C-alpha cells in the first residue's frame, strides 16, 4: 500500500467558525469551480460540514486502506474515499462510521456507495455518497490502496489537507493555501448579512433584479 507523507496539523478553528455562518452556495457565488458532482449527495441530514480532507484510494473491495486511514484520523478530518469507479460495493457502514465519529471526524465523503443507512442517520455525522447497497468490502490485505495522496471525487481532484465545505446542497473544495480565501469568506458573510434585508424587501414586493442592480 502506498502511503504519502501528511502535512502537519493546522489550526483552522477561526476559519471554520466563520464558515459555519455561511452557506456553501453563498460562497459559490464567488468561485467558478471546486464543486463536487451533485451525484455525491448527503445521505443523512446535514446542516454544515467543514474540515480537512484525509484521502483514501480504494480500488479493490478491500477494507484495509480504510482501516489504516481510520488509525490516522485527526479531529476535524473528513474521511474521503475514492472507489475508483466501483459504485456497487459499499466501503462504509455503521462500524466504519462509528470509528470515524469517535475519532473526531467532521464527516465522510465517498465516491461510491455506503450501507447501514439507518444506523448512519442515527450516528448523526455528515455522510455523502452516490447511494447505498448491501454488498460490502472486507479485509483482504491486497496491494493497490493509497493513503493521503490526491484522489478524484465527483470529478474534482482532492488532496489530503484540502478544505471541504458542504451542506445538504453539496460540497465545495477550497484550497486552504489560496491567499484570497479570507476575502472570499468575508464577501460571502457580507452577502449573508445583506440578504437579511432582502428578505424583508422581497416580502414588500421589491424587485429582485433591482436589488441585484440587474435592471
Amino acid at each position: 500500500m502506498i502511503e504519502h507523507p501528511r502535512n502537519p496539523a493546522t489550526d483552522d478553528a477561526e476559519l471554520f467558525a466563520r464558515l459555519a455562518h455561511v452557506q456553501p452556495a453563498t460562497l459559490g457565488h464567488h468561485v467558478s469551480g471546486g464543486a463536487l458532482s451533485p451525484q455525491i449527495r448527503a445521505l443523512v441530514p446535514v446542516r454544515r460540514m467543514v474540515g480537512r480532507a484525509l484521502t483514501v484510494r480504494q480500488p479493490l473491495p478491500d477494507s484495509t486502506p480504510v482501516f489504516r486511514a481510520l488509525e490516522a484520523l485527526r479531529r476535524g478530518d473528513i474521511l474521503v474515499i475514492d472507489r475508483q469507479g466501483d459504485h456497487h460495493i459499499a466501503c462504509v457502514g455503521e462500524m466504519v462510521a462509528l470509528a470515524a465519529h469517535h475519532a473526531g471526524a467532521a464527516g465522510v465523503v465517498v465516491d461510491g456507495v455506503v450501507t447501514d443507512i439507518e444506523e448512519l442517520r442515527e450516528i448523526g455525522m455528515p455522510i455523502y455518497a452516490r447511494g447505498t447497497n448491501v454488498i460490502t468490502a472486507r479485509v483482504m490485505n491486497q496491494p493497490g490502496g493509497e493513503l493521503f495522496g490526491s484522489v478524484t471525487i465527483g470529478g474534482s481532484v482532492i488532496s489530503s489537507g484540502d478544505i471541504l465545505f458542504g451542506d445538504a446542497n453539496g460540497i465545495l473544495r477550497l484550497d486552504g493555501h489560496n491567499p484570497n480565501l479570507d476575502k472570499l469568506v468575508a464577501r460571502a458573510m457580507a452577502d449573508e448579512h445583506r440578504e437579511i434585508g432582502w428578505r424583508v424587501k422581497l416580502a414588500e414586493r421589491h424587485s429582485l433584479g433591482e436589488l441585484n442592480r440587474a435592471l
Side-chain angles (χ1 to χ4, degrees):
M1 185 182 306
I2 300 170
E3 184 170 331
H4 298 275
R6 292 189 68 189
N7 291 327
T10 56
D11 183 2
D12 300 307
E14 182 179 351
L15 173 61
F16 289 179
R18 293 169 66 201
L19 285 170
H21 296 287
V22 175
Q23 296 183 61
T26 303
L27 193 59
H29 285 308
H30 304 294
V31 297
S32 58
L36 276 61
S37 167
Q39 293 180 343
I40 309 293
R41 63 190 189 278
L43 299 186
V44 304
V46 176
R47 184 180 179 276
R48 292 286 189 280
M49 179 186 74
V50 60
R52 294 273 181 178
L54 177 73
T55 60
V56 182
R57 192 188 307 276
Q58 187 189 17
L60 301 172
D62 181 1
S63 298
T64 307
V66 173
F67 290 171
R68 289 273 295 274
L70 288 171
E71 296 300 314
L73 265 174
R74 300 168 180 159
R75 182 164 297 277
D77 281 346
I78 296 172
L79 182 62
V80 178
I81 305 172
D82 179 359
R83 289 290 288 114
Q84 296 276 273
D86 185 335
H87 302 157
H88 182 71
I89 298 177
C91 62
V92 171
E94 179 187 9
M95 294 299 109
V96 168
L98 270 177
H101 176 64
H102 289 307
V108 175
V109 179
V110 180
D111 195 338
V113 296
V114 301
T115 195
D116 300 334
I117 189 61
E118 293 181 359
E119 290 79 4
L120 298 186
R121 290 183 182 128
E122 291 177 2
I123 292 169
M125 180 176 60
I127 305 282
Y128 294 80
R130 291 181 179 266
T132 62
N133 206 355
V134 294
I135 306 298
T136 66
R138 59 192 184 279
V139 175
M140 301 167 69
N141 291 312
Q142 293 188 353
E146 186 174 350
L147 302 179
F148 319 140
S150 294
V151 297
T152 301
I153 304 291
S156 292
V157 176
I158 296 174
S159 300
S160 280
D162 285 349
I163 297 171
L164 297 183
F165 179 40
D167 63 7
N169 299 294
I171 305 173
L172 273 176
R173 172 205 166 271
L174 303 174
D175 181 359
H177 300 293
N178 181 353
N180 295 316
L181 182 56
D182 283 340
K183 292 181 180 178
L184 287 172
V185 175
R187 289 177 68 184
M189 293 180 74
D191 288 350
E192 296 271 359
H193 181 75
R194 184 178 65 246
E195 287 177 359
I196 295 172
W198 281 17
R199 293 184 184 98
V200 174
K201 290 182 179 298
L202 288 171
E204 296 171 348
R205 304 300 301 276
H206 286 259
S207 163
L208 180 59
E210 290 178 355
L211 291 173
N212 271 294
R213 294 189 174 91
L215 297 177

